[in-house]
Each structure stands twice: as structure tokens, then as C-alpha cells.
């Protein structure tokens, strides 16, 4: 039952974020309430504390990228909701898988957005960063900076990976 709630939550969030670039509050807050309530009903205060720990860990893991403007608040709340549903260990695996998947998505997104000459400039910038070790040398065109990656898709895919690993 809890896995079904998780799947409904992540599929809905991924769809909303992909289409509208927004994860609705009613989805994340409802998932948080259901996750914590079911944890309490199934295992009392011990399960409720694990659910709450997952909620706070999920929020904490994405609060720095949110503060830097890299992701939206809906993504932070989504990872917290997943933590409320499945707990802290699940969140940790989800976070790691989402980071890898999100990085791959970003590389492909940039490859499709950048024009040929800009791609060469970016490749030269990355090469310079590799040799100098400073990220301030990366040149990304302004039109590419305005592109937003639907990170809830990466978070949802990371949750699916974590769910598959959990079932093994």
C-alpha cells in the first residue's frame, strides 16, 4: 500500500514538473500527511519518528541547492514527502540516484539546447576548469542559463531506483 502511494506521488509530481515546471503544494503536503499518518498507524511513535526523520532529511539534503537557486521549493518538498512515506534510508538512496540521473539529464539537456559554436566554447571552458580547478571559468550562454531542468523527474526516477533496490 505504501509503495502504491509513493508511486502515485512521484509519477504525479514528475508529470506536473515536466509539463508545468512546478510541483504543486497540495501534492507534497498530502503525501507528507499520508506518509506520517500511515507510519504512526502501522508502528506507533517509533515509525512516526522514522517518517519524520525521513521528511527532515529529505528537506535538508536539498536545502542548499534550493538556497543557491538551483532547484525549486517543490523539489525540496517532494524529497521530504518521499522521506515521510519511506523513511531516512530510502531518502539517502533516492537522493544519490537522483543526483546521478539529474546530472545525466542536465548533460543531455545542454547538448540539445546549445548551438554548435556555444558547445565548443562550453567544452573549452570545461577543459579549462579541469586543468585549473576553478569553476569561475565556465562560460555558459545566457539563453542556456534560463533553461530549467524538471528536477522532480530526476527525483522520481531516483525513487524508482531506490524502490527497485529495496525490493531485491
Amino acid at each position: 500500500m505504501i509503495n502504491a502511494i509513493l508511486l502515485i506521488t512521484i509519477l504525479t509530481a514528475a508529470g506536473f514538473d515536466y509539463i508545468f515546471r512546478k510541483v504543486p503544494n497540495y501534492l507534497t503536503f498530502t503525501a507528507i500527511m499520508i506518509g506520517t499518518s500511515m507510519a504512526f498507524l502501522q508502528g506507533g511513535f517509533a515509525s512516526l519518528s522514522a517518517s519524520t526523520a525521513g521528511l527532515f532529511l529529505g528537506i535538508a539534503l536539498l536545502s542548499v541547492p534550493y538556497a543557491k537557486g538551483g532547484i525549486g521549493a517543490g523539489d525540496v518538498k517532494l524529497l521530504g514527502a518521499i522521506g515521510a512515506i519511506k523513511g531516512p534510508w530510502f531518502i539517502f538512496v533516492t537522493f544519490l540516484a537522483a543526483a546521478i540521473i539529474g546530472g545525466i539529464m542536465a548533460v543531455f539537456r545542454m547538448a540539445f539546447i546549445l548551438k554548435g559554436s556555444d558547445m565548443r566554447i562550453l567544452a573549452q571552458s570545461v577543459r579549462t576548469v579541469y586543468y585549473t580547478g576553478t569553476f569561475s571559468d565556465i562560460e555558459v550562454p545566457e539563453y542556456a542559463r534560463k533553461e530549467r531542468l524538471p528536477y522532480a523527474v530526476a527525483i522520481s526516477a531516483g525513487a524508482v531506483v531506490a524502490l527497485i533496490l529495496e525490493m531485491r
Side-chain angles (χ1 to χ4, degrees):
M1 177 71 165
I2 201 78
N3 289 342
I5 292 168
L6 174 69
L7 287 173
I8 290 168
T9 301
I10 62 175
L11 290 175
T12 306
F16 265 95
D17 199 29
Y18 186 77
I19 294 169
F20 302 111
R21 296 295 193 263
K22 204 166 183 55
V23 179
N25 283 336
Y26 63 82
L27 175 67
T28 54
F29 291 143
T30 302
I32 290 168
M33 288 188 296
I34 291 172
T36 53
S37 300
M38 287 192 68
F40 180 72
L41 292 174
Q42 290 177 347
F45 285 107
S47 290
L48 177 62
S49 65
S51 176
T52 305
L55 168 66
F56 288 129
L57 179 61
I59 291 171
L61 287 171
L62 289 182
S63 48
V64 171
Y66 171 70
K68 297 280 186 182
I71 60 170
D75 301 323
V76 177
K77 291 179 275 188
L78 175 62
L79 196 63
I82 294 169
I85 294 169
K86 294 294 284 184
W89 290 108
F90 190 88
I91 270 303
F92 186 68
V93 174
T94 299
F95 174 74
L96 291 177
I100 293 167
I101 293 166
I104 293 168
M105 285 173 55
V107 167
F108 278 104
R109 185 88 173 171
M110 290 297 280
F112 285 112
I113 290 172
L114 290 178
K115 298 173 179 78
S117 60
D118 291 332
M119 186 63 105
R120 284 191 297 279
I121 292 169
L122 182 62
Q124 289 170 347
S125 296
V126 170
R127 201 172 18 249
T128 303
V129 167
Y130 177 75
Y131 289 116
T132 64
T134 60
F135 284 98
S136 61
D137 297 333
I138 292 184
E139 294 180 36
V140 178
E142 191 60 37
Y143 69 89
R145 289 181 189 268
K146 292 179 182 175
E147 279 294 317
R148 298 314 245 167
L149 188 71
Y151 200 68
V153 174
I155 294 171
S156 299
V160 169
V161 168
L163 196 57
I164 290 168
L165 291 175
E166 182 183 67
M167 292 180 166
R168 294 180 77 209

